[in-house]
Structures are given as C-alpha cells and as structure tokens.
Amino acid sequence: MDNIIQPNAQEELIPCEKTCPASAFQLATVCVPVTVVPYAKAGIPTTTCYGEPYVSPGKKECCGRPNGTCSFTLSQKILVEVPVVFGAKAAVGNTSVDCDCVSAKDLIIKDNYTEEESELA
C-alpha cells in the first residue's frame, strides 16, 4: 500500500525546484611521510641449567673478567604495517553567475550551440 499524502484544503502544492546536479573531480597525489622507529623491549629472562655443577676444592681464580658481561646479538626481520587513510574535505565558496544576452526568441540548444547560431554559421 503506497503512502500518498493528500494536501489539506488549506495547504497549497509547491512545485519542486528543478536542479542540475554536477560533479567535479580533481586528480591529486597525496603523500604523507612515515618514519619507522624500531624498538626492542626485553622480556623477563629465564635461566636454564646446562649440565651438572662442577665443584673444586679450595679457593681458585675464576676464568674471565671480574664483573664482566657477556653480549650477543639477536636479529629478527619484521614486517611493519602502517595503516593510513587518505581523504579530503571540500568546501564550496559563494555562487556567481555570468549571464548571457537575453533574447525574446526561444532558443533551442543542441550540441553546444543554439539553433539561431547554426543559422549564422
């Protein structure tokens, strides 16, 4: 069942305004610099005993450097995904119009020229 709205006797019908929709396009290259900053955060280390302890009698000098450290390098190839959304906002300015000459004749517009112009051509 269609919903048809009937005007009241007091209401008057207002004709719809005719519009001419148009679109404009601008090809643009958008760019944003992205800097990848690597970081490493150490987790909690775990220690695993490797083999049996070695016990020797008496006081002996330990091998290595006193209060030294051991270093090693760990590398991992990573893939960094950086989601970026490009967009644009548009604002329209004031409207203006450049009116052509007014004629008492009705002109029929065909293929970008008027019938009156085609007679002159």
Side-chain angles (χ1 to χ4, degrees):
M1 179 173 167
D2 293 335
N3 292 334
I4 301 173
I5 300 173
Q6 297 292 333
N8 295 336
Q10 297 170 349
E11 295 177 344
E12 82 179 71
L13 290 174
I14 300 172
C16 292
E17 185 178 296
K18 290 187 180 181
T19 61
C20 298
S23 295
F25 300 92
Q26 173 67 54
L27 184 60
T29 300
V30 292
C31 171
V32 62
V34 176
T35 301
V36 175
V37 179
Y39 67 91
K41 183 176 181 181
I44 299 171
T46 57
T47 303
T48 304
C49 295
Y50 183 77
E52 295 295 320
Y54 179 75
V55 180
S56 59
K59 184 177 178 181
K60 292 188 176 181
E61 295 228 5
C62 295
C63 299
R65 285 186 280 183
N67 298 317
T69 60
C70 292
S71 298
F72 60 94
T73 300
L74 178 65
S75 297
Q76 175 68 51
K77 189 177 281 192
I78 62 172
L79 173 65
V80 179
E81 179 182 358
V82 181
V84 177
V85 177
F86 288 107
K89 290 185 178 182
V92 296
N94 295 330
T95 58
S96 62
V97 63
D98 184 7
C99 297
D100 291 334
C101 296
V102 177
S103 171
K105 282 187 178 180
D106 288 336
L107 302 178
I108 300 170
I109 299 175
K110 290 183 183 175
D111 300 323
N112 293 330
Y113 62 90
T114 63
E115 206 167 271
E116 184 180 69
E117 290 171 346
S118 65
E119 291 172 7
L120 297 174

